[in-house]
Amino acid sequence: MSAVASQQAPQRVRMWFDPTCPWAWMTSRWLGEVAETRGFDVDWQVMSLAVLNEGRDLPEAYAARMPRSMRLTRLVTAARAAGGDAVVKPLYDALGERIHHQKRDDDDALIAEALAEVGLDASLVEETDAHDIALRTSHQTAIDLVGDDVGTPVVAVDDVAFFGPVVSPAPKGADALALFDGIVAAASIDGFFELKRTRTRGPRFDVAPEEAA
């Protein structure tokens, strides 16, 4: 077993996501692989791009995406209330497959299919603000950890939290583990705030890293 594969598992790992965000989806695929290899669970939480961008002057095309963000983050929050924490990741997976891989925009239909796949009540397809306090509380928890000059996803590993990573495609195998260890190590340094380079590709799903160059 390699050194990166044998690292001690963290005590608590959380990831905040918006189901509409392709970058969060990529990160979730990476983090899921690391969690499976290292033998830890991820606490999947919701943050909302619609809530994050309230009151901001957004480009028209981006602003048009905010109602979908609100609907789907409300959906996941309502699903948690109905079915508990255990339904969150399966529902996210079912939604993400349809949204990001199949590139569907027929939200009523894809939500109904995702609910059925996970075994949740079909009535959840109807948008409701009944759980907005829980949604906003979850969102604010992420913001309190990393500040509001971020987007989704936010990841917290024990006491270390950060925005991202923004990756395309999602690293696999030893690369996935090396990225996890490197990011956690960097973010754990007091005074470390940002490491960035220009994106040269959009989200690429189910592509091996060696094929992405």
Side-chain angles (χ1 to χ4, degrees):
M1 181 180 293
S2 68
V4 290
S6 62
Q7 292 286 335
Q8 183 176 358
Q11 296 298 306
R12 186 184 189 193
V13 178
R14 292 169 286 171
M15 176 176 155
W16 285 262
F17 66 91
D18 182 316
T20 68
C21 178
W23 297 106
W25 177 251
M26 300 291 287
T27 302
S28 73
R29 304 306 92 182
W30 158 77
L31 186 59
E33 171 147 340
V34 175
E36 182 177 357
T37 302
R38 288 276 170 83
F40 61 79
D41 294 325
V42 179
D43 181 4
W44 301 95
Q45 298 288 332
V46 171
M47 65 182 300
S48 174
L49 290 171
V51 173
L52 181 69
N53 287 294
E54 285 177 340
R56 296 183 179 180
D57 186 16
L58 303 175
E60 184 176 350
Y62 190 65
R65 295 165 50 187
M66 295 305 102
R68 190 185 206 197
S69 166
M70 182 58 80
R71 180 178 184 182
L72 289 172
T73 51
R74 280 173 166 167
L75 168 68
V76 177
T77 307
R80 185 193 299 274
D85 293 346
V87 305
V88 174
K89 180 58 161 45
L91 180 58
Y92 182 29
D93 290 343
L95 292 169
E97 172 63 29
R98 290 163 173 81
I99 294 168
H100 302 300
H101 292 265
Q102 300 175 17
K103 301 187 183 304
R104 289 172 53 181
D105 57 10
D106 54 337
D107 284 354
D108 287 347
L110 73 85
I111 289 171
E113 291 173 15
L115 291 170
E117 182 176 315
V118 180
L120 289 167
D121 195 299
S123 66
L124 290 172
V125 74
E126 300 297 331
E127 184 174 0
T128 175
D129 63 1
H131 304 285
D132 277 12
I133 291 176
L135 167 59
R136 291 176 179 275
T137 298
S138 177
H139 176 91
Q140 191 60 45
T141 299
I143 297 304
D144 289 345
L145 287 170
V146 296
D148 61 4
D149 187 26
V150 299
T152 176
V154 168
V155 174
V157 180
D158 292 330
D159 296 326
V160 177
F162 46 87
F163 161 64
V166 176
V167 291
S168 180
K172 299 182 182 298
D175 286 345
L177 299 173
L179 178 61
F180 181 82
D181 293 334
I183 289 175
V184 173
S188 69
I189 303 300
D190 183 46
F192 175 85
F193 297 109
E194 187 170 349
L195 182 68
K196 188 173 182 178
R197 57 185 175 187
T198 301
R199 289 181 214 161
T200 58
R201 65 174 73 104
R204 300 187 65 181
F205 308 114
D206 296 329
V207 178
E210 61 269 18
E211 298 174 3

